[in-house]
Amino acid sequence: MGLTKTEIFTQEQNRIADLAKAFAHPARVAILQLLISRKACVCGDLVDELELAQATVSQHLKELKRIGIIQGEINPPRVCYCINPPVWEEAQRAFGALFDTFVPVTCC
Amino acid sequence: MGLTKTEIFTQEQNRIADLAKAFAHPARVAILQLLISRKACVCGDLVDELELAQATVSQHLKELKRIGIIQGEINPPRVCYCINPPVWEEAQRAFGALFDTFVPVTCC
DNA sequence: TTTATTCATCGTAATATTACAATTAACAAA
DNA sequence: TTTGTTAATTGTAATATTACGATGAATAAA
């Protein structure tokens, strides 16, 4: 099918899954890392850094914007992207909390 | 295409993306949470808990095993699953490090 | 006005993912 | 040996994702 049954999961589970998607492709990891390392918001030189077509980079940026973890400021003819702190911190908290719920136990 | 160009990314970026995939579907998040909450390793009652067909659950378990974040112990006719601590901690470290590299700056 | 630059969007092709029914495999118990 | 139970695997259908060329929109500069 390829169609996730979101209705049978909690809102939290669906949100975590969505936030994880921001990191679930190496190109998006690379984009996020670039946006962080160049403290100033990088624009389309992402295309130069990544060996991907401009349309492909734009598509990944769109997905990151949909999730909310980055924001873009139009500054014609350029667009300036950067991490969106509230959502970044939301992800940090959500994953941090999830990771912390596991306490190693002898098992199986 | 649907075919990720893994060769143009670093090993670290590809690994983070792979680890993120463990959390990038709400069913897998639910499975991981169940494996954690029932400290004893749950087996196929995952199928009862999740409103998903057995084959679907098995497929998600296979993906989680591929990533390495869970392990299964065959205990016929049952299989006992649990979190694989080293990989869980690898993910915790990897995401923790990534989250910490971002320091909020005024931007755009 | 024309031209150049940057980036989003559209269209398209190929592969991946999600989901499930049906089957198979592996074993315990009768 | 036969039967029952559990879970993996297979086959299949439908949707999603990834990637890119081409086009379009928006604006600055000439």
Side-chain angles (χ1 to χ4, degrees):
Chain A
M1 286 180 171
L3 209 181
T4 295
K5 294 172 81 178
T6 54
E7 68 280 6
I8 66 170
F9 301 104
T10 68
Q11 220 175 347
E12 189 207 17
Q13 286 162 345
N14 282 310
R15 180 59 176 157
I16 288 178
D18 225 33
L19 288 170
K21 278 182 196 159
F23 302 94
H25 191 287
R28 293 196 289 272
V29 173
I31 288 172
L32 293 171
Q33 288 176 329
L34 282 167
L35 291 183
I36 289 171
S37 64
R38 325 200 154 190
K39 297 191 182 59
C41 318
V42 198
C43 317
D45 10 46
L46 292 166
V47 178
D48 301 332
E49 299 273 2
L50 308 170
E51 304 175 42
L52 288 172
Q54 182 263 322
T56 305
V57 174
S58 207
Q59 202 170 257
H60 282 300
L61 288 169
K62 187 179 182 180
E63 174 68 359
L64 290 170
K65 262 190 297 184
R66 182 192 64 78
I67 295 163
I69 206 163
I70 69 168
Q71 56 192 154
E73 173 117 335
I74 299 173
N75 201 341
R78 295 153 185 283
V79 179
C80 184
Y81 284 102
C82 59
I83 301 289
N84 187 23
V87 176
W88 185 267
E89 283 151 24
E90 177 195 358
Q92 186 168 30
R93 276 196 309 274
F95 284 100
L98 180 49
F99 283 129
D100 287 346
T101 55
F102 173 64
V103 280
V105 281
T106 45
C107 137
C108 297
Chain B
M1 286 177 172
L3 209 181
T4 295
K5 294 173 81 178
T6 55
E7 67 281 4
I8 67 170
F9 301 104
T10 68
Q11 219 174 349
E12 189 207 17
Q13 287 163 344
N14 283 308
R15 181 57 176 158
I16 288 178
D18 226 33
L19 289 169
K21 279 182 195 159
F23 303 94
H25 191 287
R28 292 197 290 272
V29 173
I31 289 172
L32 293 170
Q33 288 176 328
L34 282 167
L35 291 183
I36 289 171
S37 63
R38 325 200 152 190
K39 297 195 181 55
C41 317
V42 197
C43 318
D45 10 45
L46 292 167
V47 177
D48 300 333
E49 299 274 2
L50 308 171
E51 304 174 41
L52 288 173
Q54 182 262 322
T56 305
V57 174
S58 207
Q59 202 170 257
H60 283 299
L61 288 169
K62 188 180 182 179
E63 173 68 358
L64 290 171
K65 262 191 294 183
R66 183 192 64 76
I67 295 164
I69 206 162
I70 69 168
Q71 57 192 153
E73 174 118 334
I74 299 173
N75 202 342
R78 295 155 186 282
V79 179
C80 184
Y81 286 101
C82 59
I83 301 289
N84 187 22
V87 177
W88 185 267
E89 283 151 25
E90 178 196 358
Q92 186 168 31
R93 275 196 309 275
F95 283 99
L98 180 50
F99 283 128
D100 287 345
T101 55
F102 173 64
V103 280
V105 280
T106 45
C107 137
C108 297

